Amino acid sequence: MKLPSLEEQYKALEDIHISAFGSELIRQILLPELLGKETASILYWAGKSLARHYPLETISDIITFFEKAGWGTLSVLEEGKDELHVELTGPIIAARFALHENCTFQLEAGFLAQQIEHQKRRVAEAFEQQKKRANKVLITIKWDRKDEINS
């Protein structure tokens, strides 16, 4: 089944504003109940899968995607020769920390890993570091400059 383009989806849904409560019920209650101790790793791979459905060409496109998806505000902190450091902030991040003792941002990390892999044409991985007191998540995406993707 062919999905509508990202732009078509943005346009069709841009005027609909809903509470984050529904998505948080699924993410914080239902998925962990269904997936158990594998929740974080499955969410990482789910994020990679989403990124393959919606390949984005620039970091600016990724930032916009995060905003439109309600995943928070993504900011680039620093980019090196083989890694990118980003920060995820916003009301949804603060709410997750306040409401849930154990939360994960592996969906976002997997999405970022796959997007950077697509953009850099190098195998990439992402690692999250939660800063609960500061209500932010630092995500480091690393790629291997020698491990080129051929497709």
Side-chain angles (χ1 to χ4, degrees), residues 24 27-28 92-100 103-105 108:
E24 288 302 298
R27 184 179 182 135
Q28 296 300 139
I92 193 68
I93 307 306
R96 278 198 197 128
F97 285 145
L99 295 171
H100 306 287
C103 56
T104 180
F105 297 87
E108 295 86 345

Side-chain angles (χ1 to χ4, degrees), residues 13-126:
L13 299 172
E14 70 185 342
D15 293 329
I16 301 172
H17 300 281
I18 59 173
S19 160
F21 182 65
S23 63
E24 288 302 298
L25 279 175
I26 293 168
R27 184 179 182 135
Q28 296 300 139
I29 306 298
L30 183 61
L31 286 177
E33 207 170 278
L34 293 172
L35 304 174
K37 63 184 177 183
E38 301 301 324
T39 299
S41 61
I42 292 172
L43 284 175
Y44 184 86
W45 293 106
K48 289 180 76 83
S49 178
L50 281 173
R52 284 189 289 274
H53 284 288
Y54 299 104
L56 303 170
E57 298 307 317
T58 67
I59 193 70
S60 180
D61 292 340
I62 297 171
I63 290 168
T64 299
F65 186 97
F66 268 67
E67 178 186 316
K68 299 284 187 181
W71 289 356
T73 301
L74 189 68
S75 305
V76 174
L77 299 177
E78 179 182 1
E79 183 171 353
K81 61 185 178 187
D82 58 4
E83 64 184 31
L84 175 68
H85 299 271
V86 298
E87 177 181 81
L88 186 58
T89 59
I92 193 68
I93 307 306
R96 278 198 197 128
F97 285 145
L99 295 171
H100 306 287
E101 186 177 323
N102 296 312
C103 56
T104 180
F105 297 87
Q106 289 298 291
L107 181 73
E108 295 86 345
F111 186 85
L112 285 165
Q114 188 63 42
Q115 291 296 352
I116 297 304
E117 186 169 301
H118 167 72
Q119 290 178 12
K120 302 288 185 186
R121 310 301 305 152
R122 303 285 185 269
V123 173
E125 298 183 298

